[in-house]
Amino acid sequence: MFRPDHDLLTVLRGCGRQPYAAAAARGLSLAGEHGAVWLAAGLAGAAADPARRGAWLRATVLVAASHAASMAVKRVVRRPRPQLPPGAAPLVRTAGRHSFPSSHAASSAAAALAFGALAPAAPFRPLATAICLSRLVAGVHYPTDVAFGALLGATTARLGRDWTHRGVR
């Protein structure tokens, strides 16, 4: 076990003892489940921006692909969810028992970059950051799970950037 990873998780999970932080972590974690908030944002962007509908839909495919890639890595790595100190149960239920990488972080980073390029004024990056942090405050991921998930999502968005913007002026 990488001790700083566990120590940082313990500190951030401790923030969840505050009622408002716990409620925010729960809400953000729920919104990010299976990339739901990002898939909805991509479809909303496609509906609201008919001139760039194809770009929004391709960006949404990148978000879904980053989520799928993170799920595939989870099945290979099989890192268990964090062991929390006594009295510090996770704030949310999880869809699976493996934590590396964070799928929430992968889809959030992909969305922040892919959608952010299409709507720079929209608050995609702050929301993505908040969703990533929510997984730590909720106690369901180690910081390295979130960091690698974000790296995976960012890489997916960067690799698909030209495809996303194909035909966009």
Side-chain angles (χ1 to χ4, degrees):
M1 165 59 74
F2 182 57
R3 186 73 191 172
D5 206 27
H6 186 270
D7 292 347
L8 183 55
L9 170 65
T10 300
V11 169
L12 291 169
R13 174 58 190 90
C15 295
R17 287 192 292 267
Q18 301 299 319
Y20 292 114
R26 285 186 187 105
L28 289 163
S29 285
L30 179 62
E33 193 67 37
H34 302 294
V37 69
W38 302 119
L39 298 176
L43 295 176
D49 188 359
R52 297 185 302 162
R53 179 170 288 133
W56 278 101
L57 293 174
R58 288 187 294 274
T60 304
V61 167
L62 289 177
V63 171
S66 71
H67 181 79
S70 71
M71 296 302 291
V73 173
K74 275 184 203 254
R75 283 174 174 65
V76 172
V77 174
R78 305 176 67 80
R79 183 183 195 183
R81 297 278 176 185
Q83 291 277 332
L84 298 174
L91 296 177
V92 296
R93 298 181 131 218
T94 58
R97 62 181 189 266
H98 299 116
S99 70
F100 183 90
S102 167
S103 297
H104 281 69
S107 60
S108 293
L113 293 176
F115 297 159
L118 294 169
F124 295 122
R125 288 184 184 198
L127 179 57
T129 301
I131 288 174
C132 289
L133 288 172
S134 78
R135 305 304 283 168
L136 300 169
V137 173
V140 294
H141 282 291
Y142 291 105
T144 51
D145 299 338
V146 173
F148 188 83
L151 179 63
L152 179 61
T155 300
T156 303
R158 292 281 188 225
L159 289 174
R161 179 176 36 205
D162 290 344
W163 177 66
T164 299
H165 296 284
R166 184 182 62 202
V168 175
R169 288 179 235 144

